[in-house]
Amino acid sequence: MFYCLYFCVGINTVVAFFCYRVMCRLKFTCGYNVPSDVTLDRPLLINSSTSEEGLNIINVTAIYEPIFSNLSLNERCLSASLVCKYWRDLCLDFQFWKQLDLSSRQQVTDELLEKIASRSQNITEINISDCRNVSDTGVCILAIKCPGLLRYTAYRCKQLSDTSIIAVASQCPLLQKVHVGNQDKLTDEGLKQLGSKCRELKDIHFGQCYKISDEGMVIIAKGCLKLQRIYMQENKLVTDKSVKAFAEHCPELQYVGFMGCSVTSKGVIHLTNLRNLSSLDLRHITELDNETVMEIVKRCKNLNSLNLCFSFRPEYLLSCCFLSF
């Protein structure tokens, strides 16, 4: 019993100290007038009003909200929620469950995902990377219950198929980010749904999804005109046709990566049309000549990062350095 008491007191002390430090900074970052004599060993003033002495009375919830929003999922569930019932209720408040990082948690199953989605249907971002016990069924339920989902990340979930991405595309039309690298079962059928239904898409990552080809990529390029970031890696079925499509239909692209894809200088040269291009990754592309690289550096004025891995003659490297000025 004494060990439990020490444990609870320890948690209370650590979290309370953390909260006090954050509260002291609120008047600089959030505009709150936090009295210097505020302590956490007694209840804070509850009502937001002005006292007879003219002092500002602070709403306790208004103070706790920015504090708890800066806590990670582990900190909220395993530390802050154990302090007292009031803090536990705050930790379970739906507003703190908008962005969820569940990556690498093998205890996350379809049932748990459904419970989370049912309790907080305003989830805008979720990361289930490396969650091997989540199936297409769980993702479909999540998509149905959370139509406002904006960012979906599921790296290395090899058990997921087109069914998941189709459900997300169909139920979440406001989707802006899809990172589903290293999913062996993902094909062009899933990409077709994204391209036709998610017009707000800005950031995609399909690296090491080996069944994806130009067929699906071209549909995304033609349907998602607001794309700003695209990253592909070792997608051998993705060729110059895809590069050309993105260069022609997605003028807002800033970050482009086709590392190890089946692209050549004939496709890469089209990227010179992207005036906002700032970062380009063309590593492990064997059929890429020096002239094309020089043309990209010359015409893409906002380019500040160029990642290459091929034979490059010293005189061209020197020219690139001069052009960067």
Side-chain angles (χ1 to χ4, degrees), residues 142-205:
L142 172 73
I144 293 173
K145 292 184 177 294
C146 303
L149 189 67
L150 300 178
R151 292 172 287 276
Y152 172 69
T153 304
Y155 291 117
R156 295 172 295 279
C157 293
K158 295 179 179 294
Q159 73 278 11
L160 299 181
S161 67
D162 287 328
T163 303
S164 295
I165 205 69
I166 290 174
V168 172
S170 302
Q171 302 296 329
C172 310
L174 301 178
L175 204 63
Q176 297 179 5
K177 171 184 173 181
V178 176
H179 283 199
V180 289
N182 205 344
Q183 287 193 14
D184 298 338
K185 297 181 180 180
L186 187 62
T187 71
D188 292 327
E189 295 305 315
L191 269 63
K192 290 177 182 178
Q193 294 298 313
L194 283 173
S196 60
K197 297 181 179 179
C198 299
R199 304 293 183 177
E200 301 298 318
L201 207 56
K202 297 180 180 179
D203 185 355
I204 59 175
H205 188 308

Side-chain angles (χ1 to χ4, degrees), residues 69-80:
S69 64
N70 285 286
L71 297 178
S72 67
L73 184 63
N74 277 348
E75 290 170 335
R76 285 200 305 270
C77 295
L78 302 180
S79 297

Side-chain angles (χ1 to χ4, degrees), residues 94-133:
F94 69 89
Q95 66 179 313
F96 300 126
W97 292 79
K98 292 182 179 180
Q99 294 90 28
L100 293 180
D101 184 0
L102 305 176
S103 58
S104 302
R105 301 173 190 270
Q106 303 313 316
Q107 64 268 38
V108 177
T109 62
D110 292 342
E111 292 75 20
L112 180 59
L113 206 58
E114 180 178 5
K115 290 179 180 179
I116 293 175
S118 298
R119 182 177 182 86
S120 179
Q121 298 185 10
N122 65 335
I123 295 176
T124 60
E125 179 176 356
I126 191 165
N127 185 349
I128 56 171
S129 299
D130 298 302
C131 292
R132 299 182 180 87
N133 294 318

Side-chain angles (χ1 to χ4, degrees), residues 130-141:
D130 298 302
C131 292
R132 299 182 180 87
N133 294 318
V134 174
S135 70
D136 288 330
T137 302
V139 177
C140 290
I141 294 174

